[in-house]
Amino acid sequence: MSSPSRTEAKKDQFVGSAKETVGSAVGNESLEAKGKTQNNAGAVQDIAATAQSYVEGAADQVSGAVKGAYNSLTGNTTAEAGNKVQEKKGEAQKAYNS
């Protein structure tokens, strides 16, 4: 199984919603049901993509903080600054996905 994609999720939600609407308008219960299924699958994939991105952000945040602390203790200020950037990137990614 491939990793969840927000783009694919939004596409499935849009197409599913369209199928559901058209199916309802023309009285085609099968098309309406397929649309609901596709829309719901897109919603689930969107949630999974958000969760995955949040976890990746948390990992970046923790990794940057730990490496930054190590570099601070060893006096490597250049690497410490790079790790601070990684930590802030992780914080931003978590905030975006909250």
Side-chain angles (χ1 to χ4, degrees), residues 71-95:
N71 288 318
S72 176
L73 291 172
T74 60
N76 188 346
T77 56
T78 304
E80 183 182 0
N83 295 128
K84 194 66 163 171
V85 169
Q86 181 181 6
E87 180 182 359
K88 293 299 179 187
K89 175 186 163 220
E91 286 176 17
Q93 190 172 1
K94 276 179 46 184

Side-chain angles (χ1 to χ4, degrees), residues 4 6 45-55 93 96-98:
R6 280 196 172 146
Q45 186 174 14
D46 188 42
I47 292 167
T50 299
Q52 179 182 14
S53 191
Y54 183 90
V55 169
Q93 190 172 1
Y96 176 75
N97 290 293
S98 292

Side-chain angles (χ1 to χ4, degrees), residues 24-42:
S24 177
V26 298
N28 186 334
E29 292 178 3
S30 175
L31 183 60
E32 186 177 357
K34 287 178 184 176
K36 281 183 182 179
T37 300
Q38 188 172 4
N39 191 348
N40 289 338

